[in-house]
Amino acid sequence: LDRSARRDVASVLSRLGLAFAGVDLFVPATHLLDAAHMDRAAAALAQAIELAGELATMSGAPPAARVLTTTLPDGVGDDVLRHLLDVAGRAGVTLADTAW
C-alpha cells in the first residue's frame, strides 16, 4: 500500500470506531530458508513492519499496537533476522515471533 492508501485504511478504522492492533504476516517457513525465495520473503516482512508502524502512527494507536506478528523458522539466517530487527527498530515496531 502506498502512503495514500495507508491513510485511507487509518481513516476507515477511525470512521468505523475500530482500533489498529498490529499486523499479522505468516510467510511459509521454507521461503525464509530457501535462497531462491529468501530475499522476497524478507522484503515482504520488512514492508509489513513498516506498514504496521505507519498505520499505528496514523491511527493514533497505543505503543502496544506497534507490532508485527509472524513465525520465524529455526535456522533463519542471522543476517535476515538482523535486517528485520533493524527495520523494526527504525519503525518503532515490535517483532513478535510466535515460534518462540
Side-chain angles (χ1 to χ4, degrees):
L1 298 173
D2 66 12
R3 187 147 177 87
S4 177
R6 292 174 185 201
R7 277 193 301 270
D8 287 345
V9 170
S11 177
V12 168
L13 289 174
S14 177
R15 278 196 310 271
L16 296 174
L18 300 173
F20 177 77
V23 172
D24 297 339
L25 178 63
F26 297 97
V27 175
T30 56
H31 288 203
L32 285 165
L33 300 174
D34 180 5
H37 300 284
M38 188 181 310
D39 287 343
R40 187 170 179 200
L45 285 164
Q47 290 171 2
I49 290 167
E50 292 167 351
L51 172 68
E54 260 193 85
L55 286 177
T57 298
M58 290 176 180
S59 66
R66 299 179 72 89
V67 62
L68 174 84
T69 303
T70 193
T71 301
L72 298 173
D74 288 337
V76 68
D78 287 342
D79 54 337
V80 171
L81 185 56
R82 268 193 306 276
H83 172 67
L84 295 175
L85 291 173
D86 286 346
V87 172
R90 285 192 306 272
V93 171
T94 299
L95 184 60
D97 181 3
T98 61
W100 292 345

